[in-house]
Amino acid sequence: MPTLYVVATPIGNLQDLSPRALETLRNVSFIAAEDTRVTMKLCQVFDIHTPLVSCHMHNEEDRGEELADRMLQEQADAAVVTDAGTPCISDPGHLFVRACVERGIQVLPVPGPVAGAAALSVSGMDCREWKFYGFLPREKKDLREALLRIPRETRIGIVHESPYRVLFLMEQLAEVLPDCRVSVSCDLTKMHELTLRGNVQTVFQTMKDNPKTEKGEYCLVLDVSDCRIPEEKTKVELSVEIRLLQCIMDGKTLREAQEYLSENGVRKNAVKAAALTVKKRMLEDEIW
């Protein structure tokens, strides 16, 4: 039975490629890569001559099935890699893995660099409890709702962001969760890696003052344990019967109440059925 290896690759510093990962990439029959051009550079540095095939977010649904079938037909071991870090974690790969699992193909991890774990380790925060959110929504309304959800779900949240949107994210974070503490890491493991820690407003101002902020990839660790957030409003759906009774209590007859609800979006059949129930109950209680 063939084996698929989920291989973590460096997120910056090439020396982070483990000996086991190197051996695996050299010995499998082919490597499924998020971007073959990126992986080719890694292969050239480490003298890896294994054939590359493309498997990214836009073709993985079909390609994953094809590659899994190929592994069975050829009894071939394979590896899946992304441009950086561990596949399937905010990156492509899970559909290929799923296709292999469904066919009974063994899937094994070759662990290594993960940006979120690296950012957590240097944050100085209590990381016994955390949740990974990846990239948050782009639209302002959806983003703010996502930020408000984090304190309701965990104490520590991990977020990825591009250099072109990180200031917008920080601005919204400062407005929505002003009591948040952050650890913002950029270009982890690379020559000019930087981590800023502190209150969200202070870190945001430092980033705004830095002309090089829009360079590099970001991973943010958010400590929301002290954030005060508004209570979620629970929407209570009133039954048609109760709405009819409310109208009657406001001085309407049962027929007038029926007409009112029908004119305000309640289906006529539902109003009619509810009216029969209300009428029967009122007769039983001798108040009709």
Side-chain angles (χ1 to χ4, degrees):
M1 179 62 69
T3 299
L4 173 66
Y5 296 93
V6 182
V7 181
T9 56
I11 58 176
N13 192 320
L14 294 182
Q15 296 304 310
D16 291 335
L17 185 70
S18 72
R20 183 183 171 211
L22 179 57
E23 181 182 13
T24 300
L25 295 177
R26 283 176 174 165
N27 292 335
V28 294
S29 297
F30 65 88
I31 300 170
E34 179 183 7
D35 188 329
T36 55
R37 296 166 299 182
V38 174
T39 303
M40 176 61 74
K41 294 177 182 178
L42 182 74
C43 290
Q44 289 172 343
V45 170
F46 289 98
D47 196 31
I48 299 169
H49 302 285
T50 307
L52 301 177
V53 295
S54 174
C55 186
H56 50 74
M57 64 180 296
H58 300 296
N59 73 355
E60 187 186 1
E61 186 168 2
D62 294 327
R63 183 59 59 83
E65 301 277 343
E66 295 170 6
L67 294 178
D69 287 337
R70 173 182 168 183
M71 291 175 67
L72 285 176
Q73 292 166 5
E74 301 177 6
Q75 287 298 293
D77 292 342
V80 58
V81 301
T82 51
D83 294 348
T86 302
C88 310
I89 301 179
S90 199
D91 270 331
H94 77 279
L95 294 178
F96 185 17
V97 169
R98 181 189 299 170
C100 289
V101 171
E102 290 172 349
R103 288 161 174 77
I105 296 172
Q106 181 175 230
V107 180
L108 297 178
V110 181
V114 181
L120 274 173
S121 70
V122 298
S123 68
M125 298 175 183
D126 183 348
C127 300
R128 288 174 291 180
E129 173 191 332
W130 53 270
K131 186 170 181 179
F132 178 71
Y133 290 89
F135 288 91
L136 296 179
R138 290 177 174 270
E139 296 299 324
K140 182 176 180 178
K141 180 176 181 295
D142 295 337
L143 172 59
R144 293 172 75 92
E145 289 177 356
L147 290 173
L148 282 172
R149 190 172 71 247
I150 295 176
R152 297 187 177 110
E153 297 177 346
T154 187
R155 294 173 57 86
I156 303 289
I158 305 174
V159 173
H160 285 171
E161 191 52 274
S162 76
Y164 309 109
R165 290 182 51 81
V166 69
L167 288 179
F168 176 68
L169 171 60
M170 289 294 292
E171 178 185 38
Q172 298 306 307
L173 184 61
E175 291 182 10
V176 175
L177 300 174
D179 298 315
C180 177
R181 290 176 53 245
V182 299
S183 177
V184 180
S185 294
C186 177
D187 279 341
L188 283 162
T189 77
K190 296 180 181 179
M191 182 179 296
H192 301 293
E193 69 178 296
L194 174 68
T195 296
L196 300 173
R197 308 170 185 84
N199 176 272
V200 61
Q201 287 92 352
T202 302
V203 173
F204 177 37
Q205 187 61 52
T206 301
M207 294 173 67
K208 282 198 300 182
D209 294 340
N210 183 357
K212 296 183 179 181
T213 292
E214 291 189 353
K215 293 182 180 180
E217 296 299 321
Y218 284 86
C219 188
L220 294 79
V221 182
L222 315 179
D223 182 345
V224 295
S225 56
D226 293 328
C227 292
R228 297 183 296 274
I229 56 174
E231 293 289 333
E232 285 188 290
K233 294 181 179 179
T234 303
K235 186 177 181 181
V236 179
E237 294 289 346
L238 298 178
S239 67
V240 181
E241 290 84 357
I242 290 177
R243 294 177 66 181
L244 281 172
L245 288 171
Q246 285 181 331
C247 290
I248 292 171
M249 292 176 65
D250 289 339
K252 292 182 175 64
T253 65
L254 181 59
R255 181 174 295 279
E256 290 171 341
Q258 288 179 253
E259 293 175 353
Y260 175 79
L261 293 185
S262 297
E263 292 170 357
N264 284 274
V266 183
R267 291 184 296 108
K268 289 186 177 181
N269 287 343
V271 173
K272 185 176 180 180
L276 290 174
T277 300
V278 170
K279 185 174 181 179
K280 179 181 178 181
R281 185 61 182 269
M282 295 175 77
L283 286 172
E284 289 174 353
D285 293 342
E286 297 181 352
I287 58 174
W288 179 254

